[in-house]
Amino acid sequence: MATQAPAREGSEAAPGSPAVRLKGIRRTYGDVVAIAGLDLDIAEGEFFTLLGPSGSGKTTTLRVIAGFERPDAGSVELAGVDVTHAAPSERDVNTVFQDYALFPHMTVQENVEYGLRVKGVGRRERRMKANEVLERVRLPQVGARRPVQLSGGQRQRVALARAIVNRPTVLLLDEPLGALDLKLRQEMQVFLKALQQDLGITFVYVTHDQEEALTMSDRMAVFNEGRIEQVGSPADVYEHPETEFVAGFVGVSNVLERGGRRFTIRPEKIHMIEGIGGDGETGVIRDVVYVGMVTRYIVDLHSGGELVVVRQNLETSSREVLEAKGKRVRLEWRPEHTYEIDKEENR
Ligand code: ADP
Ligand code: MG
């Protein structure tokens, strides 16, 4: 069977190198600094997420990896090979966009085969590979249809099939589930993660949705204004946020000031007891937000500041929790559940 030569001819991939390495990447648009000096290593086979608010530089970073953007400074390596000056087609990378970018005049089958056709793969092999990949994304029956005849979720899976059919070593995904409703999005999160593990391809996944990042990633980088604030596993980033920005963007920011130092504590780690006396912080419940599965309590502390406490509604009714408003409470937590943020060395 004829196989395609990988796109990086003339340069040897160095074994053991990260799948993607960004060194000192900077990209500006006029006065706007889209990326301000980025260093990042993404390991082979990793599901790596770029998480951050709109405008923080995630898409620009993806486009620099893909080669659609040239950085003003810095270098891009793929599997140990410097591709900073290589064209997108010379990089062993594919991209899935949020808006799918399917060819409307082509059938699903033709869309999926497109990349193989450009590379000169023969008709029979194209057909076989496209069928195999359509089956993988659970769309075996729609090959003859055109994109307009599909649902949003189906179109997104066609875009995915088209991107993985020639087995890139790195797949870049830019908010691929952004246009889908919540239920479908949650299904697709599980599906994408399983697909990535199955294929063993490195995924670089962009999202502004913290829950999505926590659900899917092996590791994630939290972006803020063109910089990375923190890189780590989901548990690491959630439990040990290093800056106030990370604490607030990935979860609820509960900040305590103590003797000039700042600490965070996650709302679900706080034990709330009615009445005062005993150890711990005391305060008054200022607000109660009933959210079905859980209730959020906003507590004004006697020592100044406020903390959010989350409790599961195990045995309480909505009426009971709402009556908690105005009550005096004591808050306790295990010392290891607080984490110091904005330390000098992390700034
Ligand atoms: P994100 O994907 O995190 O929302 P982007 O990487 O798209 O962020 O954008 C980062 C910053 O760069 C934003 O301020 C955006 O307005 C700016 N930017 C991105 N692309 C361009 C462009 N082609 N021309 C001018 N400014 C741009
Ligand atoms: Mg973007």
Side-chain angles (χ1 to χ4, degrees), residues 27-30 32-35 52-63 69 174-175 206 223 226:
R27 180 70 166 100
T28 55
Y29 299 98
V32 178
V33 181
I35 319 177
S54 175
S56 59
K58 308 179 300 291
T59 294
T60 307
T61 303
L62 271 201
R63 292 174 59 81
E69 299 287 344
D174 195 354
E175 313 234 9
V206 163
F223 276 63

